[in-house]
Amino acid sequence: MGFTDFVSDSGLTLLNNWLKTRSYIVGYHPSQADVVSFKAVKEAPNPATFPHAFRWYRHIASYESEFSSLPGDPSKEYTAYGPEVNELTINPAKAPEKEEDDDDVDLFGSDEEEEDPEAVRVREERLAEYRKKKEGKAKPAAKSIVTLDVKPWDDETDMKELEANVRAIEQEGLVWGGSKLVAVGFGIKKLQINLVVEDDKVSTDDLQQKIEEDEDHVQSTDVAAMQKL
């Protein structure tokens, strides 16, 4: 049968019951089954009424930026997942009496009923293992290639000293590259120098201020070009 809807209380109850002993819609890792189901839920379930669905919703929301890369078939509807039979009794008064030897899980256990400790332990171990793997995959730092123009005061400025002073600036996340002198007129040449910066560690504004502190050689600086790596 699968899930019916995630708007009505009955549909959310079905989802909540399904997630009682599960961390994900299918399997032990987030997948497209979680993505399509998450998108079908219009807003976070009420934590008091649907605690398991709420826990799952908050957890899957943390992967929203990775939805497109999660494994699975994104073309499947959320109704393709869930219980194979309707585990939600619409009218409990008309429900057949449960036989003593029935091994089915009671999906309408009271709110005070505790989860099976073994199921909780297994789920938490798998979650911890997945988080550990995810944390181990460090994302590469965002970097930019920058071309700076460093302008001297006049044609008598010692450009070798000017460049040496520029390259003497050291900072974590900053790597100096090639350079050249470019004529600007009246015998004056500016220094055009390339560098690679880690965006989170190096501010080009701060770097320009440091270069311009060399008042004996530097008149001004400009960012001639910038490109993300």
Side-chain angles (χ1 to χ4, degrees), residues 115-128:
E115 291 186 69
D116 177 38
E118 180 63 17
V120 173
R121 183 188 66 79
V122 172
R123 184 179 71 234
E124 293 303 321
E125 284 182 357
R126 287 168 178 163
L127 280 172

Side-chain angles (χ1 to χ4, degrees), residues 31 43 56 58 81 83 89 95 99 103 107 109 111 115 125 136 178 193-194 199-200 206-207 228:
S31 67
E43 58 183 5
W56 165 84
R58 290 287 300 274
Y81 304 103
T89 302
E99 297 180 4
D103 293 328
L107 295 181
D111 292 340
E115 291 186 69
E125 284 182 357
I193 187 167
N194 297 321
D199 298 342
D200 291 339
D206 292 344
L207 182 58
K228 298 288 185 183

Side-chain angles (χ1 to χ4, degrees), residues 144-151 166 174-182 190-197 204 207-208 211 221-228:
S144 299
I145 299 177
V146 182
T147 300
L148 280 180
D149 283 347
V150 184
K151 299 174 183 177
V166 170
L174 167 64
V175 179
W176 295 107
S179 64
K180 63 181 179 179
L181 297 179
V182 180
K190 66 181 177 181
L191 173 68
Q192 193 167 83
I193 187 167
N194 297 321
L195 54 143
V196 176
V197 298
T204 53
L207 182 58
Q208 287 179 257
I211 295 173
T221 61
D222 290 303
V223 175
M226 178 181 286
Q227 182 179 351
K228 298 288 185 183

Side-chain angles (χ1 to χ4, degrees), residues 30-199:
S31 67
Q32 292 300 322
D34 296 285
V35 173
V36 296
S37 300
F38 177 88
K39 291 180 178 179
V41 179
K42 301 306 180 184
E43 58 183 5
N46 186 325
T49 309
F50 311 108
H52 307 296
F54 176 77
R55 178 255 307 159
W56 165 84
Y57 186 90
R58 290 287 300 274
H59 179 56
I60 298 304
S62 68
Y63 294 96
E64 198 158 4
S65 62
E66 304 173 37
F67 275 2
S68 61
S69 63
L70 294 179
D73 183 358
S75 65
K76 279 189 176 182
E77 296 291 334
Y78 71 94
T79 51
Y81 304 103
E84 294 182 1
V85 296
N86 190 349
E87 298 177 5
L88 179 67
T89 302
I90 303 301
N91 188 348
K94 296 181 180 180
E97 292 185 3
K98 186 175 181 180
E99 297 180 4
E100 291 183 2
D101 60 348
D102 191 352
D103 293 328
D104 290 342
V105 177
D106 179 12
L107 295 181
F108 279 91
S110 66
D111 292 340
E112 297 179 357
E113 182 180 353
E114 295 184 359
E115 291 186 69
D116 177 38
E118 180 63 17
V120 173
R121 183 188 66 79
V122 172
R123 184 179 71 234
E124 293 303 321
E125 284 182 357
R126 287 168 178 163
L127 280 172
E129 181 181 354
Y130 182 78
R131 291 192 191 103
K132 185 176 180 180
K133 289 181 179 179
K134 185 180 178 184
E135 290 171 359
K137 297 178 180 178
K139 294 183 179 179
K143 297 181 179 180
S144 299
I145 299 177
V146 182
T147 300
L148 280 180
D149 283 347
V150 184
K151 299 174 183 177
W153 287 104
D154 51 39
D155 59 345
E156 296 182 357
T157 301
D158 189 329
M159 297 303 291
K160 289 185 179 180
E161 287 187 4
L162 182 150
E163 181 174 354
N165 292 341
V166 170
R167 291 184 180 275
I169 299 174
E170 296 181 352
Q171 184 176 344
E172 185 180 359
L174 167 64
V175 179
W176 295 107
S179 64
K180 63 181 179 179
L181 297 179
V182 180
V184 295
F186 304 101
I188 302 174
K189 294 182 179 180
K190 66 181 177 181
L191 173 68
Q192 193 167 83
I193 187 167
N194 297 321
L195 54 143
V196 176
V197 298
E198 290 187 26
D199 298 342

